[in-house]
Every structure is written in C-alpha cells, then in structure tokens.
Amino acid sequence: MPDEKKVIPKKKPVEPRELTTCEATAQMLAKARKDGVELAFDRAQNMKACPIGADSACCKHCFMGPCRLNAKDPYAKVGVCGATIDTIMSRNFARAVAAGCAAHTDHGMAMLDLFREVLEGHIKDYEIKNVQKLYYVAQEMGIETEDREVKDIAMDLYKELERTYTQVDGELPFAKRVPEKTLETWRKEGIVPRGAMREIMELLHRSAIGVDQHYANITKQCSRTALADGWGGSMVATEIADILFGTPSPIAIETNMGVLKEDQVNIIVHGHEPNLFESMVASVAEPTLIQAAKDAGAKGLNLVGMCCSGLEMFSRHGTPHAGNFMSTETVLVTGAVDAMVVDVQCIKQALAQVAECYKTQLITTNPRARIEGGKHIEFHEDKPKECTDEIVIQAIGRFKNRGVEVEIPNIVNTGVHGFSHEYINYMLGGTFRASYTPLNDNIINGRIRGVAGVVGCNNPRMKQDYVHVNLVKELIKNDVLVVQTGCSQIALAKAGLTTPEAAHLAGPGLKEVCETVGMPPVLGLGACVDNSRILIACSEMVKTGGLGESIADLPVAGCAPEYMSEKAITIGQYFVASGVFTVFGVTFPIVEGTKFHKHLFEELEELGMGKWGFATDPFEIAKMMIAHIDKKRKALGIDKARERVLMDMADRRDMDAA
Ligand code: XCC
Ligand code: SF4
C-alpha cells in the first residue's frame, strides 16, 4: 500500500477564465483539458520563468561562463571576464534587438525579392496593384516619375530600397521621411542606420565577449539597429506589400473562432508573409477546388487568418480572423480546422502536437521554418498555386475523414479595420483636402488629448487580452485616440471596440470627433511590420505643424502590454529612439536600480529621444501614458485649450439640461 503522505497532490489547474478574457479561448481550453491535451496556458503554469534569466542577470556569451550575477545585489559580483551587470544586461538586450530586427528585415527583404522578381518578369502570379502608391513612394525617394514607364520607376524604387538592407555607409533611404529635428538628434548620437545587415552585424559583434563594454555605447547600436527595422526593414515590407497587394482601407471584418464553419473546409493561415496568403485567396476561389470540396460533402472552402498575416489579409481582403497568438493552439481544439498553414514567426512548435491530437494537418510552407511532425509543402513564388492548391486538396481530404468531434464556440465579432496612415489622411481631411491638419487641430483644441499606439503580442504569463482591452478602454475614456497593430488589435476586435459604435465608450471630445467622422475610437493599422505606419503618422503630424518640431514633442505614447517576442523589444527600442514614451508590461529583462536601467528609463529622454516605462496593471499603464501626453501638451502650451474644451462641453451639457 502506498504511503499516503508521500503522494504529491497534483496542482489544481487554474480555471480557464482566470487565464483568458477571450470567451472562445476559455471554452476551448476547458475542452482541451477534458480531452487531456496540454497547451501553452498549462505549461506556463507548470514552468516557472527562470528568475535569473528574467532579470537578465546571466551571461553565456563565452565558454568561461555561463556566469550568473545576483539581481538582488547587482554590483556584488562580475562575470569571469569582469563583465558588470550593466554590460551583461545591455548585451542580452542587444541580442534581442538584433534578433527582432533580423526577423522583420528578413521578412521585408523577402517582400523586396518578390518585388524584383515580379518586375523582372520571373514571377507572373503577382503584379503591381497600387500604381498610385508606387508613384507616391518613388517621388518621396526623389525618383523621377513624369513621362516614365511604371516598370522603370518601380525598378529605380527597388534599387533605392535595396539599400535599406545592403548599404554599408550613409543614411538609409527612409531617413528622408524622418522629421528634421528628430534626424538631427540621431545624427548627433551617431545612430542614423546605414543598412540593416550592417547594423545587425555590428550589434552582434559588439555584444560578443570582450568588445563593447559600456552599456550606453551598446544602447547606441541597439537604437541604430532598431531604427533600421522601424524606418527600414518593416517600413519597406509595408510599402512593398501595399504596392503589390493594395493599400488597406477600412472594411468590416469578422473576428473570433465563430468564423469557422462546421459544414465547410476550414483552412487557417497563420504567420507573417502576405504572399503565401494572397495565393491561398486565389486557390480557394478556384472553381475546380470549390467543386472538389462540394463533392466531399462540404458547403465550400472557408479561408481564415490568424496573427499577423491574418491581419494583413483582413485589412486588404476582408478575410475573417480567428484569433491572436494565445488562441493558435486552442483554435485547433475545435476539431474544425482541416489545415493550419504556417510560414514564419510566432508559430508555437506545440501546434504540431495539438494538431495531431485533433487530426488537423499542420502544413509548413517556408524553407526557413520547418516543424518536426508538420507536413512540408514548399511555397515557391514563381509557381505559388502549386503549393496552395495542394494545401486545399489536403484540407478537403481531412474534411472527408474528420473523425473528431467538432465544437466551434459560437462567437463572432464584427469591427472596422484597415486604417492605413494614408486613409487617416482622407478620413479626417476629406478627399479634397486630405491632410493631417484636422487631426492636429483636434489635438490642439483638446478634443483629442493625444494618440496612443497599443500593440504587440499575448503572453501566457498574463491573462490573455485583459491588459490590452482594459488599457485601451481607459485611454479612449480619457480622450486618447488609440491606433493598433498586431495581436493587440485582435484583442480589441474581440472586445467589440473597433466599431464606430464603440465611440460611446470614449470621452466627450474623442466621441465627438469619432461621431463626426464615423470612425471607431480604436484604429487597426495592420500587422506588426505595419507599426511603420504609426511612425509615418507621427512624422506627418510633426510636418503638418502646431505640435512641435520632433516626434519627441508630440503628445503620443506607445505600449506593448502583453508582449512575448524579441521583435517587440526591437519595436519598443525604435519607438523610444524615434522619440516616443513606450511602456511594456509582463516583465522587463533588466534589474531596476542599475545604470543600464536608468539609461533606458530616464537618460535617453534627456538626449532628445523617448524613454522606456514598465507596469503590468492596465490602469497604471494608462495613467503613465496619459501623464506623459499631458506633460507634452503642457510643453507645447496647448494644455489650456483642453481645459477650455472640456469646460465648453460641460457648459453645453448644462445648457442642454436647462
Ligand atoms: Fe507574434 Fe505577429 Fe507578437 Fe502576435 S503580435 S505574437 S510578434 S503575431 Ni506581431
Ligand atoms: Fe562570463 Fe564574461 Fe563569458 Fe559572459 S562573457 S560568460 S560574463 S566570462
């Protein structure tokens, strides 16, 4: 008989609704437990984050180590080579920035490769859809457009933008878009990026053993590399995608797991590269494949997106979206997914396991990203439909023999998304006088207090979507217009805040603007690479006038409250270097009270940039962002205007009541 005292009681699993505010995800998490399937939610509970790593107090940059310092007493010890806590933390931070920048710029480079191949006629399934945007970007880059063939202009633009990656000296092309005073700050600091490849290479070099051992100098190269992402790799990805596939404009989109259809062949595309997804759109419209689905007993083919490529597709085509990062496993638990097609970035390896449990096909498509246990059908841009047609055929095959119980949460939310920075122009300014002047005017007169970018991932160490949703609610309630990208946008779409009707949740000033224009108080701008659209919007606001001379003067703030990816750190650093106060949640991989911490959280601002902030509670984060916005309003001398506007409103209400 076993000694009862020795039986370790199994840790009681945390209730699904404690782990997520997404109803559909909670429902599927409960089902997964019933089915005995383990998910990231469970693993996060059972795997405590390494406390030394969480503080970034360990170094494994050489094999005299790994060395561990004590975060509680950070200056008590140094590594074997003598590296201090500040060197160790800044080098770790640098490696994250390099990896994040590499991810976005490698993606951007792939878009540029596609552009070139299209222009050279090697790829025929894609074409330039948006000639107007091509002209616009080319002119900005100083390329002659008058009386010239589209193809020649495009080729010149290709050559110009290629420098974003390969240039070894000089300033990267989109530096032309940066407000003069911001650029001046960068020049003074020596952080204007040359080419992304060079910056990443130098950052990896400098963060190796025995090279750069001053945290402030390492931070400079972090900024330079991060800027090569925001104003470089990511911006090129966005602009080329717009030129090839069209610039998004507002469109009503369905989100949440209820977009899956029990009686249809469901195909989810999850990843980051729009070219694969564009070809999937063509394949599911193929009459022979639709017929094949019908022959298999399905009502049709249902194409659905997830995470970032899903965001690009829904803004361009209105393709429904099933959910964000922490729902990619749970969506498989529905049993309704006939194929999950992935390319690169944010694809949990565990998807292979979960897919197997529910007999779903997990299909990898990109030579850069394979997963053990997944089926690989390689995507070639010169014959894209070979891959995507085959995927549809495989999905139909699975539909025929689903062999698992199907349970789809009956939840669908509709929102309006696809607000490019160009569209914000038209929307506020009207077709005849498209400009940012009305936005600036509304900020100056105080109806809009400021603009906040709320972006980024989910992280199972936080209750899914909780911080995103409550933070955004708090911001709009205080008349702060919110712009969004990435998984955060999906959180708000599921919470119903991306509809024009959500204006009633906004403060009186923002509500008035939203109702006049007919726009939601929360504007979805696309995928994470489309954070570049936020940078361009900031730049336009400065150039329009009345709100200072540099991005650092603007009453704006940014936040990634539930981030998990290294890419988020890079994004945070390029916003900070561009002049934006940027708050992160979950955890910050730096020990408080150290010199490096002070540098990122205080000193960068003194140099004319933005600075970092950290908090985990949504209301606390909102308070920090609003305080910053108010500080900037005061510096601009427009704080009085806002007081007046609010008084006017109150007066008017009194009058209405009388
Ligand atoms: Fe990934 Fe881009 Fe983060 Fe979402 S927001 S978890 S990076 S999918 Ni881009
Ligand atoms: Fe240790 Fe220095 Fe080597 Fe890092 S670089 S592992 S601190 S000896």
Side-chain angles (χ1 to χ4, degrees):
M1 220 176 105
D3 181 352
E4 285 200 9
K5 273 183 207 132
K6 277 192 189 145
V7 176
I8 304 163
K10 230 180 154 191
K11 222 168 110 189
K12 203 170 158 259
V14 183
E15 281 303 311
R17 274 174 192 75
E18 298 286 308
L19 297 173
T20 177
T21 61
C22 170
E23 190 50 41
T25 302
Q27 200 179 317
M28 288 302 104
L29 180 51
K31 178 170 185 290
R33 287 188 179 161
K34 206 177 70 210
D35 298 342
V37 177
E38 188 195 62
L39 305 178
F41 284 108
D42 308 304
R43 287 187 294 273
Q45 295 303 313
N46 298 330
M47 184 180 298
K48 200 170 164 282
C50 164
I52 305 161
D55 287 323
S56 203
C58 53
C59 177
K60 53 184 175 72
H61 291 340
C62 90
F63 301 91
M64 296 188 281
C67 300
R68 291 187 302 181
L69 271 52
N70 181 358
K72 302 243 154 48
D73 191 1
Y75 292 102
K77 270 205 291 188
V78 293
V80 173
C81 68
T84 62
I85 187 79
D86 295 300
T87 299
I88 289 174
M89 291 187 303
S90 55
R91 284 196 305 216
N92 290 338
F93 192 80
R95 290 290 164 105
V97 170
C101 178
H104 286 143
T105 53
D106 193 41
H107 162 54
M109 184 101 201
M111 295 303 300
L112 206 58
D113 286 339
L114 173 63
F115 187 48
R116 184 194 59 237
E117 295 291 291
V118 168
L119 296 178
E120 287 179 346
H122 301 144
I123 291 178
K124 305 212 183 326
D125 290 72
Y126 303 93
E127 58 182 6
I128 295 177
K129 280 222 182 95
N130 191 348
V131 179
Q132 204 188 344
K133 176 119 192 190
L134 170 74
Y135 278 26
Y136 172 74
V137 183
Q139 281 161 4
E140 257 191 312
M141 294 300 105
I143 294 165
E144 188 57 62
T145 55
E146 227 163 279
D147 299 327
R148 292 187 69 201
E149 293 277 328
V150 169
K151 214 177 136 193
D152 296 336
I153 300 169
M155 208 35 157
D156 281 358
L157 182 63
Y158 167 78
K159 285 184 199 137
E160 176 69 10
L161 294 185
E162 195 192 53
R163 294 201 288 118
T164 304
Y165 306 93
T166 55
Q167 180 169 268
V168 291
D169 203 13
E171 297 180 348
L172 90 179
F174 282 135
K176 291 199 183 82
R177 285 182 166 173
V178 181
E180 197 49 44
K181 203 175 151 207
T182 303
L183 194 56
E184 236 171 66
T185 305
W186 295 359
R187 287 190 181 130
K188 203 174 85 221
E189 287 301 304
I191 59 169
V192 188
R194 294 158 292 185
M197 289 177 179
R198 174 120 211 210
E199 303 314 346
I200 294 167
M201 178 168 67
E202 187 173 316
L203 188 56
L204 289 174
H205 173 201
R206 281 165 65 167
S207 54
I209 157 90
V211 190
D212 201 351
Q213 285 152 113
H214 195 302
Y215 63 94
N217 207 42
I218 293 172
T219 306
K220 279 192 187 182
Q221 187 58 21
C222 288
S223 297
R224 202 176 196 187
T225 307
L227 291 171
D229 175 353
W231 297 87
S234 282
M235 202 173 274
V236 170
T238 296
E239 301 299 57
I240 295 295
D242 281 0
I243 290 170
L244 287 176
F245 307 128
T247 303
S249 60
I251 181 166
I253 296 143
E254 293 191 331
T255 320
N256 220 322
M257 290 191 202
V259 301
L260 297 173
K261 303 277 176 273
E262 180 156 10
D263 53 6
Q264 296 197 27
V265 179
N266 294 302
I267 303 172
I268 290 185
V269 183
H270 156 32
H272 283 78
E273 307 222 309
N275 42 2
L276 166 74
F277 212 147
E278 291 282 343
S279 181
M280 284 298 320
V281 171
S283 288
V284 298
E286 199 62 63
T288 53
L289 291 174
I290 296 172
Q291 192 53 49
K294 288 191 174 147
D295 293 345
K299 283 230 172 87
L301 296 166
N302 185 31
L303 183 64
V304 169
M306 284 195 99
C307 287
C308 276
S309 49
L311 282 163
E312 290 208 29
M313 296 315 286
F314 88 9
S315 335
R316 292 204 178 89
H317 300 282
T319 312
H321 199 290
N324 52 12
F325 180 70
M326 277 315 288
S327 303
T328 55
E329 287 173 320
T330 43
V331 80
L332 299 177
V333 179
T334 61
V337 184
D338 298 302
M340 180 178 261
V341 186
V342 300
D343 49 40
V344 292
Q345 300 180 17
C346 300
I347 299 144
K348 299 187 194 82
Q349 183 163 2
L351 291 180
Q353 268 288 318
V354 183
E356 203 192 325
C357 294
Y358 294 96
K359 303 204 173 108
T360 293
Q361 307 247 27
L362 177 74
I363 301 173
T364 57
T365 55
N366 196 291
R368 292 174 290 179
R370 289 203 185 199
I371 297 176
E372 260 188 87
K375 175 180 253 170
H376 190 73
I377 305 178
E378 196 150 311
F379 179 74
H380 299 280
E381 284 158 332
D382 54 344
K383 39 183 184 191
K385 288 197 60 235
E386 241 173 52
C387 165
T388 51
D389 285 356
E390 177 59 25
I391 288 169
V392 176
I393 291 165
Q394 297 275 334
I396 294 171
R398 192 279 186 174
F399 175 87
K400 254 194 289 194
N401 318 295
R402 270 186 181 164
V404 292
E405 172 204 7
V406 170
E407 180 187 332
I408 302 172
N410 187 19
I411 308 169
V412 177
N413 307 95
T414 308
V416 181
H417 297 249
F419 293 88
S420 57
H421 57 91
E422 288 97 330
Y423 196 83
I424 296 177
N425 239 351
Y426 296 131
M427 178 171 65
L428 290 162
T431 328
F432 298 110
R433 49 179 195 109
S435 85
Y436 272 77
T437 309
L439 174 64
N440 281 23
D441 284 351
N442 278 311
I443 292 173
I444 293 165
N445 69 29
R447 281 195 189 92
I448 296 176
R449 190 178 201 147
V451 181
V454 180
V455 306
C457 328
N458 288 138
N459 186 318
R461 309 245 171 239
M462 310 295 289
K463 189 176 190 173
Q464 182 191 11
D465 297 344
Y466 169 79
V467 196
H468 289 300
V469 173
N470 285 291
L471 167 61
V472 170
K473 279 189 176 165
E474 195 62 16
L475 288 169
I476 62 169
K477 198 168 92 190
N478 285 284
D479 290 318
V480 176
L481 175 66
V482 174
V483 292
Q484 291 211 283
T485 62
C487 290
S488 183
Q489 189 185 160
I490 298 304
L492 272 297
K494 287 186 292 179
L497 263 84
T498 54
T499 60
E501 293 72 39
H504 78 272
L505 295 168
L510 178 60
K511 178 170 178 256
E512 194 188 338
V513 176
C514 289
E515 284 175 350
T516 310
V517 182
M519 71 178 195
V522 179
L523 304 178
L525 265 62
C528 284
V529 287
D530 298 322
N531 277 318
S532 57
R533 298 192 202 275
I534 302 181
L535 292 176
I536 298 170
C538 287
S539 185
E540 291 293 326
M541 283 162 72
V542 174
K543 289 175 184 165
T544 299
L547 292 174
E549 292 174 356
S550 75
I551 295 177
D553 295 335
L554 294 172
V556 302
C559 182
E562 300 181 22
Y563 85 103
M564 63 85 200
S565 168
E566 289 167 315
K567 292 179 283 173
I569 295 281
T570 317
I571 293 168
Q573 186 63 25
Y574 73 61
F575 271 107
V576 167
S578 298
V580 180
F581 174 50
T582 305
V583 187
F584 267 38
V586 190
T587 177
F588 206 89
I590 289 181
V591 181
E592 258 184 78
T594 55
K595 287 185 267 184
F596 181 51
H597 190 277
K598 186 164 192 259
H599 192 60
L600 294 187
F601 283 69
E602 292 172 33
E603 290 165 1
L604 290 182
E605 190 176 45
E606 293 155 20
L607 297 171
M609 296 179 235
K611 64 175 177 183
W612 283 89
F614 171 73
T616 53
D617 175 69
F619 304 99
E620 173 69 23
I621 299 174
K623 221 191 278 170
M624 291 162 73
M625 294 170 80
I626 292 167
H628 178 81
I629 285 170
D630 285 349
K631 183 177 92 179
K632 294 292 171 186
R633 292 189 66 88
K634 191 155 186 229
L636 290 165
I638 55 174
D639 49 330
K640 294 287 175 303
R642 182 174 160 75
E643 279 165 25
R644 231 179 4 253
V645 165
L646 292 181
M647 216 160 64
D648 287 350
M649 297 261 175
D651 291 350
R652 214 167 59 196
R653 266 197 304 273
D654 289 349
M655 277 164 61
D656 288 350

